[in-house]
Amino acid sequence: MELRRSSRIKALTMPVSPNLRTTGRNRNYHIPSQEDKEREEYEEMKKYKFRARPPPNSTFSGGVSGVPKRKAKGTTQPKTPTALKRKATKTTGISKAKDKTKGKKGSNTAMKRLKALPLPDLQKVFEVAKKESRITKPVPFSFENRDPKPTEVREKLLKEQIEEEKKKREFKAQPLYETEGFQVDKNLSKACTKVVPFNISKPDAYEEKLRNQKERLEKENQDLAKMKEFKAQYPHAIFEEPFVPVKDSRYCKVEEFNLHSERRGHERKKFDIELQEQRQNLESMKKQDEIEKERIDREEVAELRKKLVHKANRVGEYKKQEYEDIS
């Protein structure tokens, strides 16, 4: 039996750290500042360069491919337009009618003559003006010459900010009051303020602040070390007698008592009565307001009806007019 028991004994469990997913996570705690961002933008601007495409080979070969040649047209021959022919026929018809009326009425109206347009000069041939083909020439350029460098602008802004801070740090004393005609009371018991040199320089104040901070940290470390120290208390319980409860031979007296639930019940009844009275008052006030509104509406309607009734104006009295008999 002992051998069987010994064979069943297993080895001790060895602790193994769990393979958690959070162990493989990494977070970048570095946050870029404004200067780092500006430096990255400036480097990206430097990297960007404009590259012009080369011109096509057809521009240097002497002709542009894909454009047909211009054909020479013949000279234009002048022809009379149809509108002038129609006008000529109309004028001839009018002149004939006038000639007929001349013989009848004997009027000396002059006949209108038709003036034909002069013939164009056939020796001058119309030629289309040729446009000169211009080839774009690549010219080097850069953005740096056009705009100031961002570093120069940033340095200028920093200098202006530093100058403003220096001006703000300068100590400006207020002017003294005029002492002419001012008399000090001799009975005053207070002594005059003594002039003592003072120093407002920043490095001294900074050093004093560092010194106070170091002293405060040292004091806190000492307090923590004292708190960490273990101090065992004296074992009084070992040497003292154990606690023995005192047995009272007297019986407990039964007295009258009031439950809180009863008191709360009475208070709740009073609250409900007051709440009901308030609701009744509100309902009565609402009813009175409604009655008052109805009365005001009736009065307004009665006044409107009075105003809408038509009343004729009185006829005025005029002087009588006397008419004289003309007959």
Side-chain angles (χ1 to χ4, degrees):
M1 294 296 288
E2 291 178 358
L3 292 168
R4 287 178 182 177
R5 286 178 182 175
S6 62
S7 62
R8 289 178 183 176
I9 294 168
K10 295 181 180 179
L12 295 171
T13 55
M14 299 295 290
V16 179
S17 61
N19 188 11
L20 299 173
R21 292 182 181 178
T22 54
T23 56
R25 294 177 185 172
N26 291 321
R27 184 179 288 178
N28 189 9
Y29 292 99
H30 177 67
I31 298 167
S33 62
Q34 187 66 23
E35 294 180 356
D36 297 337
K37 289 178 182 178
E38 290 178 356
R39 198 180 297 108
E40 288 176 1
E41 289 177 0
Y42 182 62
E43 287 175 359
E44 287 178 1
M45 288 170 68
K46 277 186 175 180
K47 288 178 184 178
Y48 178 75
K49 291 181 180 180
F50 179 76
R51 294 180 182 178
R53 294 180 180 178
N57 296 324
S58 59
T59 55
F60 301 103
S61 61
V64 180
S65 61
V67 181
K69 293 182 180 180
R70 185 173 62 82
K71 295 179 181 180
K73 294 182 180 180
T75 56
T76 55
Q77 295 180 1
K79 291 181 180 180
T80 56
T82 56
L84 291 173
K85 288 180 181 179
R86 288 174 185 173
K87 285 180 181 179
T89 53
K90 285 179 181 179
T91 51
T92 52
I94 291 163
S95 62
K96 285 178 182 179
K98 283 183 179 181
D99 291 334
K100 286 179 182 180
T101 53
K102 242 187 218 181
K104 291 178 182 180
K105 294 181 181 181
S107 60
N108 297 322
T109 57
M111 187 180 68
K112 291 182 179 180
R113 295 181 181 180
L114 178 66
K115 292 182 179 181
L117 296 170
L119 292 170
D121 192 358
L122 301 176
Q123 293 179 359
K124 292 181 180 180
V125 182
F126 176 74
E127 294 180 356
V128 180
K130 295 179 180 180
K131 293 182 178 179
E132 295 180 359
S133 60
R134 295 179 181 179
I135 300 166
T136 56
K137 295 179 180 180
V139 179
F141 66 94
S142 64
F143 293 101
E144 294 179 357
N145 296 329
R146 188 179 65 179
D147 297 330
K149 293 181 180 179
T151 53
E152 293 178 359
V153 175
R154 190 167 62 253
E155 287 176 359
K156 188 178 179 181
L157 291 171
L158 285 170
K159 285 180 182 177
E160 289 177 356
Q161 192 173 1
I162 290 162
E163 287 177 358
E164 287 179 359
E165 288 179 356
K166 283 182 180 178
K167 287 179 181 179
K168 288 178 181 178
R169 288 173 189 167
E170 289 178 359
F171 176 73
K172 294 180 180 179
Q174 294 181 357
L176 295 171
Y177 295 103
E178 294 181 359
T179 57
E180 293 181 0
F182 180 74
Q183 293 180 359
V184 182
D185 192 2
K186 295 178 181 180
N187 298 324
L188 291 172
S189 60
K190 292 182 180 180
C192 297
T193 54
K194 294 180 180 180
V195 180
V196 179
F198 58 91
N199 191 6
I200 312 176
S201 59
K202 192 171 182 180
D204 295 343
Y206 183 68
E207 288 175 0
E208 189 177 353
K209 188 178 180 181
L210 285 173
R211 201 182 305 110
N212 294 332
Q213 193 172 4
K214 285 179 181 179
E215 290 177 358
R216 190 176 70 254
L217 288 170
E218 287 176 358
K219 190 176 180 181
E220 287 178 359
N221 292 327
Q222 289 175 3
D223 294 338
L224 288 169
K226 287 178 181 179
M227 289 169 70
K228 288 177 182 178
E229 288 179 359
F230 177 73
K231 291 181 181 180
Q233 294 181 0
Y234 184 74
H236 296 284
I238 297 169
F239 304 103
E240 291 178 356
E241 293 180 358
F243 173 73
V244 179
V246 179
K247 294 180 181 180
D248 193 1
S249 60
R250 292 177 297 177
Y251 293 100
C252 295
K253 291 181 181 180
V254 179
E255 294 180 355
E256 292 182 0
F257 58 90
N258 294 323
L259 296 173
H260 290 289
S261 57
E262 292 178 359
R263 181 175 56 80
R264 287 200 300 269
H266 292 300
E267 290 177 356
R268 183 68 186 178
K269 284 180 182 178
K270 289 180 182 179
F271 176 74
D272 292 336
I273 293 164
E274 290 176 358
L275 188 64
Q276 194 172 3
E277 288 177 356
Q278 287 180 2
R279 287 175 180 173
Q280 288 176 0
N281 292 329
L282 287 170
E283 287 177 359
S284 61
M285 288 171 70
K286 284 181 181 178
K287 287 180 182 179
Q288 287 178 2
D289 292 337
E290 289 176 358
I291 293 163
E292 189 69 22
K293 283 181 182 179
E294 288 178 359
R295 186 181 62 77
I296 291 164
D297 291 336
R298 278 194 238 101
E299 289 177 358
E300 288 179 354
V301 170
E303 286 179 1
L304 279 170
R305 285 177 180 175
K306 285 180 182 178
K307 289 177 181 178
L308 292 171
V309 173
H310 179 70
K311 293 180 181 179
N313 292 325
R314 213 174 150 190
V315 178
E317 295 179 358
Y318 303 99
K319 293 180 181 180
K320 293 181 180 180
Q321 293 183 358
E322 296 177 357
Y323 297 97
E324 294 180 357
D325 295 331
I326 298 169
S327 62

